[in-house]
Amino acid sequence: MRRMVVDTNFLEHPELRDYLAASKQNFVILTDYAAMEGYKPASMDSMYRRMSVLRHFPTQVIVLRSTRESGALIGTAAQIAERLVDVEQTAAFPTFCRSLELAHTGNEAMQRQLLEHAEVARQHLQRMRNSSSELAAGISDIATAFTTGELKIIRRRAEPYPAAIREKIGDRIMELAIRLMGSHPEVSTPPHTFGEARDRYLFRAAICAMELAIRWIAVGGAEGAKHEVLRNDQVDIQFAAMATYFDGLFSNDVKLVAIYEATLTWLRDFAD
């Protein structure tokens, strides 16, 4: 069985259809943000097109729990991967596809229901957009940890980075992970070592966030970036972190794929 996390920009891709058609043991993982972005199109026709591939393979779609729920999970990576699955929503996905079909063919009750869900999703994404300046400020703060010489190396993208730079990045990952877990209402015992933290979702999200930050630092920071770009970056962190629990990531976003692959490297390093 293969389970691939899918980015929103890949939902209509022919390669996704080929992958699902190749075997009934090929599954797609839908995160909560993929679902939210699936609702983002303003029209019913656009929403219908966004699901044009998955609605033909509804029993090969696995829906994950919310990001908030995921942050509280503990266990090994394999255990967390299983616990990330929202069994009820996964079972209900074929029903959702039928509802979408009914809405597309003119069922007004279904249209209203789906548009209500879409409005809730858009409001959440708008709140993320409005808070994007905090991400830019956080990236600027991270940059202060590096010397002028180290910043030059980062801006040249001279990877692999020297041990001193990687050590600083590793320290910032742990600090961010502890901060994320400390502010999570359902995390009672934040880890204090890489070994304790490695398999937790918020630790993996912290790695992705730090890799994103380093990429922004390499181009001079994110202070002038558009709010929509930074909002998308926040969503991409979730896609990349979730994908580390499964068999890979389908995405057309080169930066997102690079963050995901770099996160896998960090996880291997932390295991040594």
Side-chain angles (χ1 to χ4, degrees):
M1 181 172 69
R2 288 187 74 200
R3 298 178 295 180
M4 299 286 290
V5 170
V6 62
D7 186 2
T8 317
N9 65 32
F10 211 85
L11 286 174
E12 299 174 58
H13 200 288
E15 188 178 330
L16 181 63
R17 181 184 293 275
D18 292 344
Y19 163 77
L20 291 168
S23 171
K24 292 187 182 298
Q25 291 301 303
N26 288 345
F27 291 85
V28 160
I29 302 284
L30 272 187
T31 70
D32 57 345
Y33 281 101
M36 276 188 263
E37 290 200 313
Y39 280 122
K40 193 168 68 169
S43 71
M44 190 59 60
D45 285 344
S46 297
M47 289 170 59
Y48 187 73
R49 282 197 304 275
R50 183 66 61 84
M51 291 292 158
S52 60
V53 173
L54 296 189
R55 61 189 171 83
H56 290 292
F57 304 92
T59 60
Q60 290 170 249
V61 175
I62 297 170
V63 182
L64 298 189
R65 297 178 184 274
S66 70
T67 302
R68 175 175 171 144
E69 290 177 288
S70 303
L73 298 175
I74 59 174
T76 65
Q79 289 169 336
I80 290 176
E82 296 308 313
R83 293 166 186 166
L84 282 169
V85 176
D86 189 316
V87 177
E88 290 185 8
Q89 287 200 66
T90 298
F93 190 78
T95 302
F96 164 77
C97 291
R98 288 192 291 273
S99 298
L100 189 60
E101 190 75 43
L102 287 171
H104 181 67
T105 55
N107 186 302
E108 293 183 0
M110 286 300 174
Q111 288 177 353
R112 283 195 300 272
Q113 185 179 94
L114 290 173
L115 290 173
E116 285 172 6
H117 289 314
E119 182 58 28
V120 171
R122 281 194 288 271
Q123 287 178 9
H124 182 84
L125 292 171
Q126 183 62 38
R127 287 193 296 273
M128 290 180 68
R129 183 184 184 280
N130 293 343
S131 67
S132 61
S133 58
E134 298 174 15
L135 176 60
I139 291 168
S140 296
D141 183 61
I142 291 166
T144 65
F146 301 99
T147 66
T148 301
E150 289 170 340
L151 287 172
K152 287 180 180 178
I153 292 172
I154 290 171
R155 286 167 183 158
R156 289 201 308 268
R157 299 298 293 166
E159 299 183 74
Y161 293 132
I165 292 179
R166 284 190 64 79
E167 184 175 345
K168 285 184 178 181
I169 295 173
D171 289 344
R172 296 304 174 278
I173 288 169
M174 195 65 190
E175 289 172 8
L176 178 57
I178 289 173
R179 192 158 68 246
L180 290 173
M181 293 181 201
S183 64
H184 195 292
E186 296 173 33
V187 175
S188 56
T189 54
H192 297 288
T193 67
F194 288 133
E196 291 176 13
R198 183 179 179 275
D199 291 336
R200 296 205 189 181
Y201 169 76
L202 290 176
F203 182 74
R204 295 182 177 209
I207 300 175
C208 296
M210 197 58 56
E211 279 294 327
L212 172 69
I214 293 298
R215 280 161 175 74
W216 273 114
I217 291 169
V219 296
E223 293 293 347
K226 293 181 179 179
H227 292 301
E228 189 71 14
V229 171
L230 293 174
R231 196 240 3 137
N232 289 341
D233 280 348
Q234 293 177 70
V235 173
D236 286 348
I237 288 169
Q238 318 305 327
F239 281 124
M242 289 297 188
T244 64
Y245 290 99
F246 299 100
D247 297 309
L249 173 66
F250 280 136
S251 177
N252 290 319
D253 187 330
V254 174
K255 182 171 74 173
L256 169 56
V257 173
I259 288 171
Y260 161 69
E261 291 176 346
T263 300
L264 293 180
T265 298
W266 276 107
L267 290 172
R268 285 192 292 269
D269 289 349
F270 289 137
D272 293 338

